[in-house]
Amino acid sequence: MTSYAVINPATGETVKTYDTISDTELTAALITADNAHTWSRSTSVDERAALMRRVAELHLARRQELAEIIVREMGKPMEQALGEVDFSADIYAYYADNATDLLKDEAINLLAGEGSALIRRSSLGVLLGIMPWNFPYYQVARFAGPNLIIGNTILLKHAEQCPESAAAIAQIMLDAGFPEGAYTNLYASHDQIATVIADKRVQGVSLTGSERAGAAIAEIAGRNLKKVVLELGGSDPFILLSTDNLDETVGAAVAARLDNNGQACNAAKRFIVIEELYQPFLDKFTAAIAAVELGDPTKDGTGLGPLSSAKATETLTEQVARAVAQGATLVTGGTAEGNFFAGTVLTGVVPGSDAFHEEFFGPVAQIFSVPDEAAAVALANNTPFGLGSYVFTTDPEQALRVADGIEAGMVFINLVGADGAELPFGGVKRSGSGRELGRFGADEFVNKKMIRVG
């Protein structure tokens, strides 16, 4: 049976198909990953860091080839694909450079008694990563970077439409010098993944994906007493309260919405604007969105490529149509040609409508007017999601006050596109649990062993 395939969303062409792993091969992969865990006990942190540094170097050495793969797989514009490869290399390099500090012993100040106590960090064993299609390299780097440094071994189930990039990552790990079983790519079915989670050799699961996928995986993991890290959907607010340069702010807003063809969980999706700026912002934002040309993702300078698949296009088209049917105003866009979906602006989305609480995974922006700061925060929090958020204001005290009031895992003030390898990534509410990246990303799947010395 074949379920993994590269289907170019720009052309609809099926480039290559891949067979799902057999149950026998899956059992062998589990055994190899479990056996490879002994590797972490026979290597030092510095030795594992050296391998990880080589992973970063190989990403940069192969950046053009790697970028071309994901342009084919999911339609990411070439410039952004190259940027994703570079960012992934930065993540691997960060964990290589900071491995010793992240895993060093942590002394505990005793309240009573003689002697000392400390926390010593060590690996747990085999982990399962379930990754999405929208950032095929970056999402894997967030999971694999810290956990290979720790000494955990990884089974990686990538999205069905990303088999070529999945194989490329696995090859890089081998070429960097990681032993067989330290990182294993699985072309597994959903039923096989349920079997993997239940396997006693697997100690934890990390998933980036939809709410539905997160709930299903968490349910299986819970039944089998496995820890999970979940990074799920988002409907991030972009709050504009004041600005010294509306054109620059609009530019930031457009970039925050259209990155990755609008298919990013932490993209700004709901634009909440103080009423005195609402109309000028709406006019300029609409003009800017409409001016972004859809184009061939392989060409330099393309601002907006295709959505990732025919299914994604069908879903987004239906969502926009349903929003309009429930009272929203379509200001611009809302049309698709093939999988190329025009930049779209909606106003008049009201509480109680589907659009008010749904995530739109594509270049669709909702614009709201609010009378004051309190109303902006209340509207920002009126969502089941809580991943990221953006606050634009010329008042530093207001910025921090609003940041404190927002129910989200991340707040960016007066800037967009400012993620970094050192900055923790994750959310609250239905956006998931746990953190990736930075030092917190190296603290999820680790045994924090307490050692008390008398």
Side-chain angles (χ1 to χ4, degrees):
M1 180 184 71
T2 299
S3 61
Y4 286 77
V6 178
I7 302 174
N8 189 328
T11 65
E13 175 194 6
T14 299
V15 179
K16 188 175 180 180
T17 60
Y18 296 72
D19 290 335
T20 304
I21 192 171
S22 70
D23 290 344
T24 300
E25 291 169 326
L26 181 61
T27 298
L30 278 161
I31 292 171
T32 304
D34 189 44
N35 290 340
H37 184 230
T38 60
W39 151 78
S40 70
R41 297 175 180 143
S42 61
T43 56
S44 67
V45 174
D46 288 342
E47 288 172 328
R48 297 194 294 274
L51 298 179
M52 188 59 65
R53 193 166 289 109
R54 183 62 180 147
V55 170
E57 293 168 354
L58 288 173
H59 272 73
L60 296 179
R62 301 174 187 179
R63 69 189 295 265
Q64 185 66 37
E65 172 192 349
L66 294 172
E68 289 172 359
I69 289 172
I70 60 175
V71 172
R72 281 194 298 273
E73 286 182 329
M74 50 76 61
K76 190 187 298 286
M78 177 59 72
E79 185 178 355
Q80 295 178 33
L82 290 166
E84 180 180 339
V85 176
D86 293 343
F87 191 18
S88 300
D90 288 344
I91 292 169
Y92 290 120
Y94 169 83
Y95 283 109
D97 293 343
N98 293 279
T100 300
D101 185 59
L102 291 170
L103 296 175
K104 68 184 179 183
D105 290 346
E106 180 181 340
I108 300 174
N109 293 323
L110 295 175
L111 297 179
E114 299 296 327
S116 62
L118 59 87
I119 296 295
R120 177 159 293 170
R121 288 168 168 80
S122 60
S123 59
L124 293 179
V126 182
L127 304 177
L128 171 65
I130 304 171
M131 296 296 127
W133 50 261
N134 58 335
F135 291 94
Y137 301 121
Y138 162 65
Q139 302 282 8
V140 173
R142 296 191 329 195
F143 172 61
N147 284 302
L148 287 172
I149 284 291
I150 291 165
N152 294 315
T153 57
I154 289 172
L155 299 170
L156 200 291
K157 189 266 183 214
H158 220 316
E160 283 86 348
Q161 71 188 78
C162 296
E164 191 176 1
S165 56
I169 298 167
Q171 190 62 53
I172 283 177
M173 295 298 178
L174 286 174
D175 292 347
F178 281 99
E180 185 181 2
Y183 181 100
T184 305
N185 174 51
L186 299 177
Y187 296 134
S189 69
H190 293 173
D191 288 343
Q192 287 174 321
I193 286 302
T195 299
V196 172
I197 297 171
D199 192 283
K200 65 182 181 181
R201 289 164 290 206
V202 174
Q203 303 302 310
V205 185
S206 178
L207 174 135
T208 298
S210 67
E211 291 178 85
R212 181 180 177 181
I217 293 302
E219 180 181 0
I220 300 169
R223 288 200 307 267
N224 291 279
L225 300 179
K226 306 293 176 70
K227 176 174 179 175
V228 293
V229 167
L230 301 173
E231 195 271 280
L232 308 177
S235 188
D236 293 7
F238 182 109
I239 298 175
L240 172 58
L241 298 172
S242 60
T243 179
D244 288 330
N245 189 323
L246 184 58
D247 288 336
E248 286 187 2
T249 302
V250 168
V254 172
R257 188 64 202 95
L258 297 188
D259 180 52
N260 203 42
N261 302 332
Q263 300 166 119
C265 51
N266 63 326
K269 299 183 176 84
R270 298 177 297 133
F271 296 83
I272 300 169
V273 185
I274 199 77
E275 59 187 7
E276 56 263 34
L277 292 175
Y278 173 76
Q279 195 60 50
F281 176 87
L282 176 62
D283 293 343
K284 289 178 178 287
F285 183 86
T286 300
I289 285 282
V292 176
E293 293 187 10
L294 287 79
D296 184 346
T298 66
K299 304 298 184 184
D300 291 340
T302 294
L304 197 58
L307 295 181
S308 62
S309 66
K311 185 177 187 303
T313 305
E314 179 184 348
T315 297
L316 192 64
T317 300
E318 190 278 330
Q319 279 185 292
V320 171
R322 184 157 32 90
V324 173
Q326 294 178 357
T329 298
L330 179 64
V331 181
T332 190
T335 59
E337 184 174 343
N339 292 323
F340 290 84
F341 200 97
T344 300
V345 176
L346 295 172
T347 60
V349 176
V350 298
S353 65
D354 295 339
F356 192 83
H357 293 293
E358 286 181 338
E359 178 182 23
F360 283 71
F361 218 57
V364 178
Q366 301 179 28
I367 318 293
F368 300 88
S369 175
V370 289
D372 53 34
E373 173 190 318
V377 173
L379 180 55
N381 291 338
N382 191 0
T383 174
F385 301 105
L387 188 56
S389 57
Y390 305 85
V391 178
F392 277 70
T393 174
T394 57
D395 182 342
E397 292 184 0
Q398 181 183 57
L400 292 178
R401 187 170 62 243
V402 172
D404 285 343
I406 292 176
E407 297 167 354
M410 302 172 287
V411 182
F412 294 90
I413 297 173
N414 292 331
L415 78 174
V416 301
D419 305 81
E422 76 282 12
L423 300 176
F425 189 105
V428 297
K429 301 197 289 191
R430 295 187 70 86
S431 289
S433 58
R435 292 295 182 270
E436 295 179 303
L437 295 179
R439 68 181 182 89
F440 295 101
D443 236 17
E444 290 288 354
F445 295 105
V446 64
N447 181 12
K448 305 177 189 74
K449 185 184 295 181
M450 191 283 294
I451 301 175
R452 175 74 159 86
V453 180

